[in-house]
Amino acid sequence: MIKLTNISKSFGRNQVLKSINLTVEKGQVVVILGPSGSGKTTLLRCVNYLEKPNDGEIMIGDYSLKCKHAAKKDIHALREKSAMVFQQYNLFKHKTALENVMEGLVIVKKLPREEARARSVALLKKVGLAGKLDAYPSQLSGGQQQRVGIARALALEPEVILFDEPTSALDPELVGEVLAVIRKIAKEGITMIVVTHEMSFARDVANHAVFMDGGIIVEEGPPAELFNRPREERTRQFLKRITPELNYHI
Ligand SMILES: Nc1ncnc2c1ncn2[C@@H]1O[C@H](COP(=O)(O)OP(=O)(O)O)[C@@H](O)[C@H]1O
Ligand SMILES: [Mg+2]
């Protein structure tokens, strides 16, 4: 289980997260939606401690951390519990697909090279890239690069994978192959928090949906309820903008 309690984050005077509370059960897929600038990326980065929250508590599995008093080794331990999949893939450009996946296993997990290699090959197969082990990112399509990013996250065997708009940088015809991979690993019971505006994915795959705006969680609930019967005006307005074909009853 993941539990965020009163997570707050400011950049200078700009308070970007305002006491966020969120619980994610083991094996759940949670989608987060919200307008640009609402704090979605910052929230994911706080869970992975790429950003240091100013206040609050993060619990992942049996590990919990009070952000105000976090020591380096606690941060290190917490960081190993999650893995990020980034909007812009963030692969090492001078490393092959295989080397990109192996990197974390060798450096972070300290696995022997041969074992790291075998595990990475298996994961690249799983995301449909068995034929691209030795390709560099520049030789791969965006969809293929993102699938390397997903294999890299899986390799770390985290308690939760954090996806930050994983398909929003892709050409439309490549979105499906990446969503298919995410669907497949969701079915295997891996806990996920996914920032996405792909509504059909959110509807089919997510167990829980969260709408953020202005650094707060405005509304959350089962996807069918949140999308079909939003309670809050702000949620309705946002959903109308991203799915104009839907008519919401006011
Ligand atoms: N490193 C940073 N330094 C200063 N401001 C930031 C930084 N990262 C994000 N922000 C600000 O925080 C707000 C929320 O950004 P972000 O979390 O990226 O939103 P979203 O992912 O929902 O679009 C924005 O106003 C953004 O400008
Ligand atoms: Mg973002």
Side-chain angles (χ1 to χ4, degrees):
M1 186 170 98
I2 296 153
K3 194 167 175 194
L4 308 179
T5 310
N6 297 329
I7 295 295
S8 292
K9 174 70 184 173
S10 298
F11 294 107
R13 276 196 218 148
N14 184 12
Q15 191 176 5
V16 172
L17 298 177
K18 299 169 183 162
S19 205
I20 297 277
N21 290 293
L22 181 66
T23 301
V24 182
E25 302 294 339
K26 197 171 168 59
Q28 255 193 345
V29 177
V30 173
V31 288
I32 301 181
L33 304 90
S36 177
S38 56
K40 306 177 302 293
T41 294
T42 306
L43 183 63
L44 292 188
R45 290 174 63 85
C46 282
V47 175
N48 195 232
Y49 238 86
L50 290 168
E51 298 290 351
K52 183 184 185 314
N54 301 107
D55 207 352
E57 197 169 335
I58 300 176
M59 191 192 92
I60 305 182
D62 54 5
Y63 199 85
S64 112
L65 183 75
K66 286 198 173 38
C67 300
K68 263 191 180 161
H69 312 288
K72 265 215 172 105
K73 75 169 195 342
D74 297 329
I75 291 170
H76 203 75
L78 184 84
R79 212 170 255 158
E80 283 198 18
K81 306 263 172 204
S82 65
M84 282 278 263
V85 173
F86 299 90
Q87 196 169 5
Q88 299 290 347
Y89 333 127
N90 292 17
L91 301 179
F92 293 111
K93 302 256 177 295
H94 59 287
K95 288 184 189 292
T96 64
L98 180 62
E99 288 165 349
N100 265 284
V101 180
M102 282 177 67
E103 175 85 5
L105 291 176
V106 174
I107 306 290
V108 181
K109 298 277 183 195
K110 313 261 187 255
L111 284 192
R113 276 196 90 74
E114 272 321 298
E115 201 180 328
R117 189 187 162 80
R119 205 196 279 186
S120 302
V121 169
L123 285 168
L124 283 164
K125 261 191 198 149
K126 182 176 207 159
V127 300
L129 293 174
K132 297 287 182 188
L133 302 182
D134 298 323
Y136 287 90
S138 62
Q139 299 168 314
L140 297 171
S141 71
Q144 291 168 334
Q145 290 183 62
Q146 191 57 298
R147 285 186 280 143
V148 175
I150 294 170
R152 176 178 60 179
L154 284 168
L156 300 170
E157 298 183 319
E159 300 244 355
V160 57
I161 303 187
L162 311 165
F163 292 85
D164 190 10
E165 303 203 39
T167 60
S168 64
L170 297 174
D171 291 333
E173 73 271 21
L174 302 177
V175 169
E177 67 187 48
V178 172
L179 289 181
V181 167
I182 301 176
R183 258 174 227 266
K184 179 165 135 186
I185 59 179
K187 286 219 178 82
E188 292 175 3
I190 298 172
T191 313
M192 298 182 179
I193 305 178
V194 188
V195 174
T196 184
H197 295 156
E198 292 289 340
M199 292 300 279
S200 63
F201 171 85
R203 265 206 195 92
D204 300 349
V205 182
N207 313 103
H208 191 74
V210 172
F211 173 66
M212 276 182 77
D213 194 9
I216 63 165
I217 292 178
V218 173
E219 179 166 0
E220 60 182 307
E225 258 172 53
L226 190 93
F227 301 150
N228 300 331
R229 288 181 297 281
R231 291 186 303 270
E232 301 292 331
E233 181 57 28
R234 271 200 277 181
T235 317
R236 276 198 280 271
Q237 290 304 329
F238 175 76
L239 290 170
K240 235 191 236 169
R241 276 209 307 278
I242 63 164
T243 53
E245 72 278 10
L246 293 178
N247 277 317
Y248 291 101
H249 303 290
I250 313 272

